[in-house]
Amino acid sequence: MTGAKEAHTEPKRDITLRVHRFNPQVDGKPYFDDYTIQVEKGITVLRALNYIKEHVDASVSFRAFCQAGICGSCGMRINGISKLACTTQVWDELDRCKEPGVIRIEPLRNMPLIKDLIVDMDPLVDKMKHYSNWVVSSMPESRMGKKEFLVSEEEFQKYDKATDCILCASCVSECTILRAHKEYVSPAILLKSYRMNVDSRDSIHDARLGELVKDHGVWDCTHCYRCQETCVKHIPIMDAIHGIREDALEVRGVKDSSGAKHAEAFMSDIEKKGKLVEATLPIRTNGMAWTLQNLLPMAMKMIMKRRTPPPPPLVKPAKGIKKFREMFREMTEHVRAEKKSHKK
Amino acid sequence: MKPFDIVIVGGGGAGLYAAMEAMKTNPALNIAVLSKVYPNRSHTSAAQGGANAALANKAKDDTVELHIFDTIKGSDYLADQDAVDILCSEAPKIIRELDNIGTPWSRLEDNTIAQRPFGGAGRPRCCYCADKTGHTILQTLYEQCLKKGVFFFNEYFALQLSLHDSRMKGLIAMNMKTGKIEAFPARTVLFATGGYAKMYWNRSSNAAGNTGDGQAIAYRAGIPLKDMEFVQFHPTGLRKSGLLVTEGARGEGGYLINALGERFMSRYAPEKMELGPRDLVSRSIETEILQGRGFDSPAGKYVHLDLTHLGADLIKSRLPQIREMSMYFEGVDPIDEPIPVRPTAHYSMGGIDTDNYGRTVMDGVYAAGECACVSVHGANRLGGNSLLDILVFGRIAGHTAAEEAGKFEPSPITADEIAATEARLRSYMQPSGHFERYGILREELGQTLGQNVGIYREASKIRKGVADLRELQERFTHVRVNDTSDVFNTNLMQVLELKNMLDLAETVAAGALAREESRGSHTRTDFPQRDDEKWHKHTIATIEGDRVKLGEKPVTMGRYELQERTY
């Protein structure tokens, strides 16, 4: 039984945590401190950090609270990847070290740094507010508490996974769009927005959606899937993002925003030629005036470097386009039929 | 600074419900919520199982009256019956209200809110959302508070009440981001800072911050604490970390097995088996271990919680978090192997003494949730009643504070008072004599409490505990804060938390020594019987100098007479 196995002591070894340090009162810029400690197998990164704080250097600063993977406080980058320190085993990280035995511990990205491993969460809260990440009940306050809503298992399934989100901000830290644009809505907020929008008890679906399709909203995502890959709760965040987009196309139409137009242009190119007509894509997405104003300098550079995409007449349909069109039609019909049956 | 009408300390379920209700009661009020963490991090999020309410969705014959009786019996008749009445009568309303504002409750086949069986309850009345009930309730409340525009002061650490001749003027707190000491002049202050069971440190399921800050602040300001000796040990903490495996795991049909392979609960609660009340199941496990029928390991002795017969589908759909935690922290997949568990300090029944409306004895000071003791849990809380407590009494206290805020005239908190507080905190960075490490003191605190004021208690052990606590208090004066920076000084915060735990631990030990009987979670091996004649009463702890002074308060009875408690 396990009892006999447990009587052996766990293996131990020396490891080094290379910890990002920054105290805004004295440090001009961040640096790293190395802490070498002996740990036994089964110890989490958070327990190793706690040990360092209690026994080696009390000034190392990080957030931690529940230590059980549910409060989301201890999000940090461990060997370059954003995750929770409390659910990450030191032993597992040893295989991922660039320098053998040295685990890099850094703060989450894409949020303002406060100290050492602590970043400012306020921008995320502000975005929760901006995108109305709450249910506005269809029931007036005066009638509340008397009757429950009836919710089908099917509807519950739509938001069940999304409500697993603990706002640890790992996805925010990994998001490639946020690195370029701090104003971008961010994956966690899209997930929460989706969760609200599929809830039949909510009454501001259209207004919330209207905000999501604006600049820096749902159409800015480039489907890199980093958020989903790193989600500590394994939530299919991209399903939520696609869900909002499909919803937007259906409710607001294909001409609604540049994002929708972009998707539409994509679809039509694929249907006609089996590949993209890149030269006119920006015009069809954002219009002629915008393209001339914003992309002309880049177009010039591309010409200089001979990197321009071929003009539309030269984009020949891909090989086997006939067969492809058949498949394309079949898929589109299938998706439409599925949507109809969902609505019932 | 303009005085606040209400300053709520703590952003968990109780604090957020109080804020929401206060704004509903009077939208013109100026309300602040202070929290040492972002509110969505609060420990409410860790409550897995659910909240009890006699909705009668699952068992059609369930009634509020049955819920009341189960709660009173569960409390070992120490709960105040009028308070329990409020708790259980309000329960269906509050669960529906949460549904109405978006809490994602799991559903039954008829699309109503799902309910499941829970320890000590005669009917399946625990409403849940998978095994993330507290998390989803907390998210919902936080969202609704953001919607309502509640004014949050996140990552502020509460330090003390500002008093003028025992009249409350407001609160003094440290802004963690800047290290600045700030005054919050206020007409009313509402404490909702959660429990104090983290004083058992490594033998506790609680978050690192459940250090009883509100209770300690109130206690030092002269406000009485009630029934502090009652600390609930949850039967199934993970062996290595003390982290919790929800009672839902047994509710879904999990077995407790000893090293001989026996379902040993048949010896202690032949009828309810694994679903006996928590105090009973914890004692049963402890007895099995003490009598040599536990498993052995370097991390301590333990028993098995076996879910393997439930099947992969049920475990994955109903207990996903438990599965994840067992794998992360024990390296065990409950689908294939039993989970190693042992009892872990989990919940504090005691707390700030309040009436049924959340009022303390001090004008303008209120308390709710685990931080308070109304008392609805008496000597032992039933599973599924803690979320309910924070919701029901959070709302009531918020309402009371909103109604009464106008009665109290605010007065300013002086710069001198702020400067004195600053100086006191700075002094932690230059203590005299030898230096002590706070981490070591914290561990010793947990150890002495676990050994001497744990599940099984007796006079000589508790006296040893009391002496240890005195010594730890003395050594604490030599603790040095090594981080001298202002910005996010978690070193300083943890030292202040340790002081809160030390002060409260003395009230726990004093109550445990005085109460010469066994009742609910408090088991004296030298007084194994419940003694209603001498001890059917609450203990009241107040501060006198730097010592605990014990008093008492009668239990409010009602429809239910004292009975022997068997399951």
Side-chain angles (χ1 to χ4, degrees):
Chain A
M1 294 243 29
T2 42
K5 203 167 65 191
E6 294 295 343
H8 297 294
T9 43
E10 307 273 15
K12 285 182 182 170
R13 61 169 288 184
D14 282 346
I15 56 124
T16 300
L17 293 192
R18 182 161 293 164
V19 182
H20 177 278
R21 303 299 309 270
F22 176 69
N23 177 358
Q25 286 180 296
V26 286
D27 302 324
K29 59 177 190 199
Y31 61 97
F32 285 87
D33 266 336
D34 281 5
Y35 300 98
T36 301
I37 56 172
Q38 193 182 57
V39 297
E40 59 172 40
K41 197 178 174 194
I43 292 297
T44 60
V45 170
L46 180 59
R47 286 185 73 173
L49 281 170
N50 277 333
Y51 180 87
I52 292 167
K53 187 166 181 69
E54 283 168 30
H55 297 97
V56 187
D57 182 350
S59 71
V60 179
S61 302
F62 49 93
R63 290 193 186 100
F65 198 64
C66 79
Q67 318 187 62
I70 186 66
C71 81
S73 296
C74 64
M76 55 186 74
R77 275 186 305 143
I78 301 167
N79 279 335
I81 296 182
S82 307
K83 44 179 100 170
L84 297 178
C86 72
T87 57
T88 303
Q89 291 283 329
V90 168
W91 232 250
D92 295 345
E93 283 305 318
L94 290 175
D95 302 335
R96 304 192 186 109
C97 295
K98 273 196 188 133
E99 195 177 317
V102 179
I103 301 173
R104 274 175 86 90
I105 312 281
E106 295 161 279
L108 294 180
R109 271 197 299 228
N110 295 333
M111 279 166 286
L113 180 63
I114 295 177
K115 184 185 183 184
D116 292 352
L117 300 169
I118 298 171
V119 295
D120 192 356
M121 291 282 170
D122 283 349
L124 198 62
V125 177
D126 290 341
K127 283 177 185 169
M128 280 179 70
K129 289 190 208 162
H130 182 85
Y131 291 96
S132 308
N133 278 184
W134 45 69
V135 165
V136 176
S137 183
S138 57
M139 186 184 280
E141 216 164 60
S142 57
R143 282 195 8 230
M144 282 184 184
K146 296 183 183 112
K147 232 175 105 185
E148 58 190 84
F149 284 105
L150 295 179
V151 176
S152 68
E153 176 66 19
E154 196 194 353
E155 185 193 327
F156 174 73
Q157 288 301 335
K158 280 192 203 160
Y159 52 69
D160 181 26
K161 274 311 279 180
T163 60
D164 283 0
C165 173
I166 56 173
L167 289 170
C168 69
S170 285
C171 61
V172 174
S173 167
E174 294 289 329
C175 178
T176 47
I177 308 301
L178 272 170
R179 288 195 78 183
H181 291 290
K182 295 282 171 276
E183 307 83 2
Y184 172 56
V185 48
S186 83
I189 303 299
L190 286 173
L191 179 72
K192 267 188 103 68
S193 305
Y194 173 77
R195 173 256 173 277
M196 302 301 161
N197 263 2
V198 294
D199 195 322
S200 64
R201 296 168 293 185
D202 176 66
S203 63
I204 60 158
H205 169 278
D206 291 359
R208 195 181 291 113
L209 191 61
E211 209 51 51
L212 288 165
V213 297
K214 285 186 183 162
D215 285 357
H216 313 301
V218 69
W219 291 109
D220 281 17
C221 167
T222 57
H223 323 191
C224 75
Y225 277 76
R226 283 300 292 156
C227 54
Q228 183 158 327
E229 267 169 34
T230 44
C231 176
V232 303
K233 290 286 167 189
H234 314 294
I235 303 168
I237 304 176
M238 284 308 300
D239 286 2
I241 296 177
H242 290 313
I244 296 172
R245 287 181 169 190
E246 281 166 25
D247 191 16
L249 287 176
E250 197 165 320
V251 173
R252 306 177 58 92
V254 292
K255 300 286 174 216
D256 171 55
S257 62
S258 48
K261 285 184 210 153
H262 188 69
E264 174 71 3
F266 236 83
M267 275 278 277
S268 106
D269 278 3
I270 297 294
E271 190 179 8
K272 281 184 201 141
K273 305 208 166 176
K275 52 177 144 179
L276 288 179
V277 185
E278 288 185 74
T280 59
L281 204 52
I283 302 167
R284 286 177 292 159
T285 301
N286 285 312
M288 183 61 90
W290 184 92
T291 306
L292 287 177
Q293 207 175 346
N294 291 279
L295 294 184
L296 203 55
M298 189 164 80
M300 296 306 283
K301 265 191 221 163
M302 286 167 89
I303 290 168
M304 299 291 285
K305 305 243 176 201
R306 296 165 186 274
R307 303 291 292 177
T308 42
L314 291 185
V315 182
K316 296 284 175 248
K319 248 189 195 169
I321 185 71
K322 267 197 183 154
K323 181 102 203 281
F324 175 77
R325 277 184 194 145
E326 255 168 54
M327 283 164 68
F328 185 87
R329 235 187 317 270
E330 215 172 281
M331 270 166 66
T332 337
E333 265 159 34
H334 181 74
V335 169
R336 274 193 198 123
E338 216 172 45
K339 258 189 202 156
K340 249 189 199 164
S341 76
H342 263 304
K343 280 215 172 126
K344 268 176 209 164
Chain B
M1 193 188 223
K2 188 170 170 259
F4 286 96
D5 294 304
I6 309 175
V7 169
I8 296 169
V9 190
L16 295 182
Y17 225 120
M20 214 168 74
E21 188 64 21
M23 286 196 89
K24 208 193 262 185
T25 307
N26 184 354
L29 294 181
N30 185 11
I31 300 168
V33 175
L34 248 78
S35 172
K36 66 177 172 181
V37 293
Y38 279 84
N40 54 309
R41 312 282 183 226
S42 308
H43 201 49
T44 300
S45 67
Q48 297 162 340
N52 295 330
L55 293 175
N57 286 353
K58 181 87 177 177
K60 301 296 174 200
D61 63 343
D62 196 14
T63 61
V64 168
E65 202 54 44
L66 286 170
H67 186 188
I68 292 175
F69 176 69
D70 285 341
T71 303
I72 291 169
K73 182 184 174 191
S75 80
D76 221 344
Y77 297 88
L78 195 69
D80 291 312
Q81 298 195 9
D82 53 345
V84 176
D85 221 286
I86 296 173
L87 178 82
C88 303
S89 316
E90 289 291 306
K93 196 173 136 196
I94 211 131
I95 297 300
R96 290 184 189 124
E97 187 168 298
L98 280 173
D99 167 71
N100 298 160
I101 58 174
T103 303
W105 297 111
S106 291
R107 300 285 162 167
L108 295 171
E109 273 180 9
D110 64 356
N111 299 347
T112 56
I113 296 170
Q115 297 187 286
R116 64 177 157 213
F118 237 51
R123 299 286 185 283
R125 71 168 71 94
C126 189
C127 310
Y128 63 93
C129 172
D131 56 0
K132 53 180 177 186
T133 316
H135 162 72
T136 56
I137 289 177
L138 184 68
Q139 295 283 341
T140 307
L141 291 175
Y142 184 47
E143 289 154 14
Q144 293 296 314
C145 284
L146 288 178
K147 169 174 166 260
K148 281 185 178 288
V150 171
F151 209 3
F152 283 105
F153 290 85
N154 294 333
E155 307 198 304
Y156 274 69
F157 185 77
L159 296 169
Q160 68 207 52
L161 282 173
S162 168
L163 303 177
H164 179 73
D165 297 339
S166 81
R167 216 182 75 63
M168 195 276 299
K169 298 191 294 176
L171 186 89
I172 296 175
M174 173 169 60
N175 180 348
M176 291 301 294
K177 272 183 198 165
T178 60
K180 260 185 72 180
I181 309 302
E182 297 181 20
F184 290 81
R187 294 173 195 269
T188 64
V189 170
L190 195 163
F191 287 109
T193 57
Y196 52 82
K198 194 61 190 177
M199 63 172 68
Y200 288 77
W201 205 242
N202 281 334
R203 278 202 84 174
S204 169
S205 66
N206 285 190
N210 284 22
T211 49
D213 303 341
Q215 296 93 319
I217 292 169
Y219 172 64
R220 288 192 292 258
I223 297 172
L225 307 177
K226 184 161 71 189
D227 290 339
M228 292 296 283
E229 63 273 27
F230 292 104
V231 176
Q232 181 174 74
F233 281 76
H234 192 288
T236 54
L238 290 178
R239 164 196 50 180
K240 285 182 186 165
S241 53
L243 294 176
L244 204 69
V245 180
T246 170
E247 196 162 312
R250 281 171 291 136
E252 298 290 351
Y255 298 152
L256 286 168
I257 309 281
N258 65 17
L260 305 177
E262 300 167 320
R263 261 183 90 185
F264 56 83
M265 281 311 295
S266 62
R267 269 198 281 282
Y268 309 94
E271 219 175 287
K272 296 235 161 170
M273 294 294 283
E274 280 82 0
L275 284 179
R278 289 182 177 171
D279 57 336
L280 180 73
V281 181
S282 287
R283 276 197 300 276
S284 307
I285 296 174
E286 194 81 352
T287 306
E288 290 295 307
I289 290 173
L290 288 174
Q291 293 180 357
R293 293 189 293 275
F295 299 93
D296 207 356
S297 80
K301 294 186 164 73
Y302 62 97
V303 298
H304 275 158
L305 173 61
D306 192 352
L307 308 181
T308 51
H309 58 284
L310 299 179
D313 287 348
L314 188 138
I315 292 173
K316 281 184 193 164
S317 66
R318 303 270 184 82
L319 303 163
Q321 263 197 54
I322 291 311
R323 179 162 178 250
E324 224 169 61
M325 275 174 54
S326 307
M327 298 199 291
Y328 286 150
F329 302 111
E330 290 285 348
V332 166
D333 184 345
I335 291 175
D336 307 319
E337 274 181 87
I339 311 170
V341 295
R342 61 172 172 178
T344 179
H346 176 56
Y347 185 83
S348 29
M349 270 75 73
I352 300 172
D353 179 26
T354 71
D355 68 9
N356 291 344
Y357 301 93
R359 301 184 193 102
T360 70
V361 298
M362 189 179 282
D363 276 350
V365 180
Y366 306 79
E370 193 173 344
C371 168
C373 179
V374 182
S375 131
V376 289
H377 308 304
N380 172 57
R381 171 178 71 78
L382 289 191
N385 268 356
S386 69
L387 279 178
L388 187 61
D389 174 17
I390 65 175
L391 301 169
V392 169
F393 288 97
R395 180 165 73 176
I396 290 174
H399 183 78
T400 316
E403 295 261 279
E404 297 180 353
K407 283 187 2 192
F408 307 110
E409 268 315 305
S411 41
I413 296 171
T414 61
D416 285 354
E417 199 174 343
I418 299 295
T421 308
E422 255 162 26
R424 181 169 66 84
L425 296 191
R426 277 282 146 197
S427 73
Y428 282 114
M429 292 166 191
Q430 299 110 11
S432 56
H434 69 288
F435 296 146
E436 292 278 355
R437 284 192 170 276
Y438 75 106
I440 290 167
L441 260 59
R442 210 162 53 177
E443 251 168 66
E444 285 183 28
L445 170 65
Q447 250 166 35
T448 184
L449 285 173
Q451 279 164 15
N452 302 312
V453 201
I455 295 180
Y456 286 113
R457 303 166 172 182
E458 65 173 70
S460 62
K461 279 194 193 171
I462 306 172
R463 283 205 186 90
K464 166 86 170 60
V466 170
D468 285 352
L469 290 174
R470 273 282 108 184
E471 190 204 312
L472 286 171
Q473 284 279 24
E474 203 287 317
R475 282 166 63 193
F476 179 82
T477 60
H478 299 286
V479 162
R480 179 179 187 177
V481 173
N482 286 309
D483 186 350
T484 53
S485 66
D486 294 325
V487 177
F488 237 99
N489 195 332
T490 49
N491 185 193
L492 175 60
M493 183 172 85
Q494 288 175 1
V495 166
L496 296 171
E497 288 173 337
L498 173 60
K499 176 63 179 158
N500 290 343
M501 290 194 287
L502 280 170
D503 286 355
L504 293 182
E506 292 199 295
T507 67
V508 173
L513 186 60
R515 189 176 282 276
E516 295 184 331
E517 65 157 353
S518 291
R519 183 187 299 270
S521 71
H522 171 72
T523 307
R524 288 280 300 258
T525 49
D526 45 354
F527 296 94
Q529 300 302 318
R530 197 173 84 187
D531 185 350
D532 289 327
E533 209 170 300
K534 277 195 197 143
W535 284 105
H536 186 241
K537 59 193 176 193
H538 302 293
T539 56
I540 296 289
T542 42
I543 198 164
E544 201 173 67
D546 66 342
R547 299 285 168 132
V548 188
K549 189 183 140 206
L550 277 187
E552 58 185 59
K553 198 174 170 178
V555 176
T556 310
M557 294 297 277
R559 290 189 288 283
Y560 298 101
E561 294 300 317
L562 285 160
Q563 283 177 38
E564 201 197 336
R565 179 168 164 256
T566 53
Y567 284 91

